[in-house]
Amino acid sequence: MFILLKRRNILIGLLAVALTVGLCFAVSATATSAYSVPKMGKTIIIDAGHGGADGGVVGVTTSVKESDINLSIARSLKHFLKTKGYDVVMTRTTTDGLYGMTTKNKKLKDMQERKKIIEDTKADLVVSVHCNSYPRHDQVGAQVFYAPGSEDGKQKADAMQNILKATLGTERNAMSGDYFILQCSSTPSLLVECGFLTTPSEEKKLVSASYQEKVAYAIFTGIHTILGEEGV
Ligand SMILES: [Zn+2]
């Protein structure tokens, strides 16, 4: 009995040592990767559209909420940007809206909060992530919007749209759009409609994690191109 117990203690001890060593390696690997990415010195604000009480567009066959797909793509985009050395600020990181405990005018409070985050951050670019809708169920394609009358916005949106055309196969062109987020600050801003949740074939793609990552990577490539960096 004593020998058995002793043997078991030795085994537990060895296991503890192995776990500690493994943990040390994991921590040092994390620390190494965190410090080995050279900083780009550029900050991107990712705005996942909608959230909380405002779910946005509803998927035509799955009833998926646009707000959830936007957040998923936004998180993936953040990952790609951080890996490349960009600083990233997210307007929302959870499924909640940004209206706090407000019970009235939630949408207004939510948009004011997004504006405040953008104004308080010295960013190089704001990218708002959305999914589109249309009364007919036959519209497809990701599309980039820029602030009306902004020549700089048009150039950036065209560059982003070209990447989306090449990687996602959309045939749409960039357009100006009367969206609050594009006009609420002096920071260059784009809004990407990642596809139509009202078209079953596109909804099917948009709900899949692999397509969400593909869209996120396309937007990341667009951002990297817009900011004049090479070698994505
Ligand atoms: Zn939306």
Side-chain angles (χ1 to χ4, degrees):
M1 187 68 172
F2 175 71
I3 292 167
L4 266 178
L5 271 176
K6 212 173 170 192
R7 204 175 271 170
R8 186 185 287 173
N9 284 344
I10 290 167
L11 278 174
I12 290 169
L14 283 173
L15 192 63
V17 169
L19 279 172
T20 309
V21 170
L23 193 63
C24 286
F25 270 116
V27 168
S28 90
T30 308
T32 306
S33 67
Y35 289 108
S36 62
V37 179
K39 286 278 187 186
M40 295 289 294
K42 289 185 175 160
T43 303
I44 312 298
I45 296 175
I46 306 173
D47 173 56
H50 311 278
D54 169 24
V57 180
V58 176
V60 67
T61 53
T62 65
S63 299
V64 68
K65 287 193 282 186
E66 180 201 342
S67 55
D68 289 344
I69 301 215
N70 296 343
L71 182 61
S72 196
I73 293 172
R75 283 175 174 159
S76 215
L77 176 58
K78 178 188 175 185
H79 166 76
F80 290 130
L81 287 166
K82 296 282 279 184
T83 304
K84 196 70 185 173
Y86 285 93
D87 290 313
V88 175
V89 172
M90 306 266 284
T91 55
R92 74 173 170 102
T93 55
T94 72
T95 55
D96 295 337
L98 301 181
Y99 42 79
M101 300 301 283
T102 311
T103 52
K104 288 180 184 170
N105 299 322
K106 287 181 180 173
K107 183 69 180 173
L108 179 66
K109 175 83 174 71
D110 177 277
M111 296 313 286
Q112 283 172 343
E113 193 57 32
R114 287 171 206 254
K115 176 183 172 167
K116 188 175 183 311
I117 292 168
I118 294 169
E119 284 179 335
D120 290 350
T121 309
K122 209 174 168 306
D124 296 277
L125 188 67
V126 178
V127 176
S128 189
V129 178
H130 286 256
C131 294
N132 220 336
S133 69
Y134 198 74
R136 286 203 323 260
H137 304 311
D138 59 354
Q139 298 296 300
V140 293
Q143 189 167 25
V144 185
F145 290 85
Y146 57 92
S150 169
E151 195 47 45
D152 177 65
K154 179 174 171 22
Q155 279 182 17
K156 287 181 167 64
D158 283 342
M160 174 75 81
Q161 187 72 46
N162 284 339
I163 302 287
L164 301 188
K165 281 181 179 177
T167 53
L168 303 178
T170 175
E171 293 176 1
R172 292 181 178 274
N173 292 316
M175 278 181 67
S176 67
D178 189 18
Y179 293 103
F180 173 83
I181 208 85
L182 295 175
Q183 303 173 84
C184 71
S185 77
S186 56
T187 310
S189 305
L190 298 176
L191 184 145
V192 182
E193 294 279 7
C194 299
F196 287 79
L197 283 175
T198 44
T199 299
S201 59
E202 195 143 81
E203 179 197 13
K204 194 177 173 188
K205 289 201 283 183
L206 283 164
V207 296
S208 82
S210 60
Y211 190 73
Q212 290 166 3
E213 276 194 16
K214 191 175 176 180
V215 172
Y217 194 79
I219 299 173
F220 157 67
T221 309
I223 292 170
H224 204 52
T225 304
I226 287 165
L227 295 180
E229 306 295 335
E230 290 174 0
V232 176

